[in-house]
Amino acid sequence: MRGSSPTLRKRRLVSELRRLREVAGLTIEEVGERLECSASKISRIETGRVGVSPRDVRDMLAAYGADTATLEELVQLAREARRKAWWDEFGDIVPGRYVGYEADADSIRTYQGLMIPGLLQCEAYTRALISQVLPNASTAEIDRRVRLRKARQALLNEDDPLRLHVVIDEAALRRLVGGAEVMRVQMARLLEVGALPNVMMQVVPFSAGGHAAMDGPFVILSFPERLDSDVVYIESTRSGVYLEQQSDVNNYAEMFERLVSSAQTPRESVALITGIARTLA
């Protein structure tokens, strides 16, 4: 069920712990003194860098003077946040936090300029891409990465599927990752997924010139519960950046709208993809 995974539960928990501390008028240092622990521990809990046990939650809420109902609710949230998720087994090859957010999201808006977005990739394209980006990856590691990507793609075909609005730069369509045969299969995959009712796919053509997202790719994740605010994810080679300040989210949402206005309509985009596929024959 969307919004119920450990990842989003943890995010909701630490956000509420931070809010309640601020309502109580306590600094992180003061909380550390009251609980006889380091201020850095409280800071790491509030930023989600470490897990928080039900006992930690009880101690913190006692210091904040929270009522019994709030205490019980957040302790239960702490228990749920400690559960294992299916993507934990891939924690060594992918940021579990992002996969958890993606699994919890009810809609995603994303732009990709240099490659086909992961949720839309065919297996051959994924294998070729990983082999080129990670030349030292073993066959076993590539297989695991492909398996993870397929599991993520299943979100688009669930009974209550993820809603995806994707904008792709024409450059990603014309770059021959894996060669012409792989790209023919990839174009067919794009046309297949783009036809799903929960997917809107647009292409920014070369003829559009410069556009709002030339700085790089990004993802805006939205969740089913109003308590869970949108998150912007910016992927980098070593680690991802998560932007949660409302002003940052608003900036990227506005950027996406400008990008959409520069892109071709879904129907025009299908025609462009179809045309590119013909050149690969």
Side-chain angles (χ1 to χ4, degrees):
M1 185 175 63
R2 298 210 187 283
S4 63
S5 86
T7 306
L8 202 58
R9 294 296 201 199
K10 180 179 178 180
R11 181 188 184 221
R12 193 179 302 168
L13 172 63
V14 299
S15 175
E16 193 64 4
L17 288 175
R18 183 169 56 249
R19 185 187 70 81
L20 290 171
R21 175 183 60 77
E22 292 171 350
V23 169
L26 296 172
T27 66
I28 288 175
E29 290 74 17
E30 290 170 335
V31 175
E33 289 177 4
R34 292 193 182 193
L35 302 186
E36 297 183 343
C37 68
S38 66
S40 63
K41 175 182 177 179
I42 306 302
S43 176
R44 290 195 300 272
I45 287 174
E46 289 192 0
T47 55
R49 293 201 296 272
V50 297
V52 53
S53 69
R55 180 170 182 174
D56 287 332
V57 171
R58 288 183 185 278
D59 291 343
M60 293 170 76
L61 294 185
Y64 305 159
D67 58 53
T68 301
T70 299
L71 188 147
E72 292 177 353
E73 178 184 352
L74 295 192
V75 166
Q76 180 59 28
L77 206 55
R79 294 191 183 104
E80 294 170 356
R82 290 162 68 88
R83 294 198 317 259
K84 292 291 185 181
W86 65 261
W87 53 83
D88 287 342
E89 66 173 293
F90 299 100
D92 59 319
I93 60 173
V94 72
R97 183 180 176 189
Y98 177 77
V99 177
Y101 284 167
E102 185 181 71
D104 277 326
D106 65 354
S107 68
I108 285 178
R109 290 164 285 172
T110 183
Y111 164 73
Q112 181 58 257
L114 296 178
M115 66 186 74
I116 305 300
L119 292 177
L120 305 183
Q121 292 175 9
C122 69
E123 181 176 335
Y125 183 97
T126 299
R127 288 186 179 279
L129 184 65
I130 293 171
S131 297
Q132 291 159 357
V133 174
L134 301 173
N136 296 321
S138 65
T139 300
E141 179 181 344
I142 292 174
D143 287 344
R144 289 182 68 217
R145 289 180 179 273
V146 168
R147 185 155 57 93
L148 171 61
R149 192 147 299 179
K150 285 185 175 180
R152 291 170 53 207
Q153 291 172 350
L155 294 169
L156 298 175
N157 298 106
E158 294 180 338
D159 292 338
D160 178 23
L162 172 70
R163 290 182 288 115
L164 177 66
H165 187 173
V166 58
V167 178
I168 310 170
D169 196 287
E170 184 177 348
L173 304 178
R174 295 194 179 276
R175 188 177 301 278
L176 297 182
V177 175
E181 177 58 33
V182 169
M183 291 306 295
R184 277 197 295 272
V185 177
Q186 180 59 66
M187 294 302 107
R189 168 69 178 168
L190 287 177
L191 295 174
E192 175 189 359
V193 179
L196 293 173
N198 52 302
V199 175
M200 179 178 291
M201 184 174 61
Q202 295 179 259
V203 176
V204 181
F206 288 147
S207 59
H211 57 74
M214 293 192 70
D215 276 351
F218 62 90
V219 183
I220 306 173
L221 304 107
S222 300
F223 306 99
E225 297 290 336
R226 293 183 63 185
L227 289 173
D228 302 313
S229 56
D230 291 359
V231 177
V232 174
Y233 176 70
I234 303 171
E235 187 175 5
S236 64
T237 304
R238 294 185 177 180
S239 63
V241 176
Y242 299 86
L243 303 177
E244 302 185 48
Q245 291 290 334
Q246 194 59 52
S247 58
D248 291 328
V249 173
N250 289 343
N251 286 339
Y252 274 89
E254 291 170 4
M255 184 190 304
F256 190 79
E257 289 306 311
R258 296 199 306 273
L259 184 63
V260 165
S261 67
S262 299
Q264 295 181 327
T265 67
R267 184 183 296 274
E268 292 168 338
S269 298
V270 165
L272 177 57
I273 292 169
T274 302
I276 293 174
R278 290 197 186 105
T279 68
L280 298 170

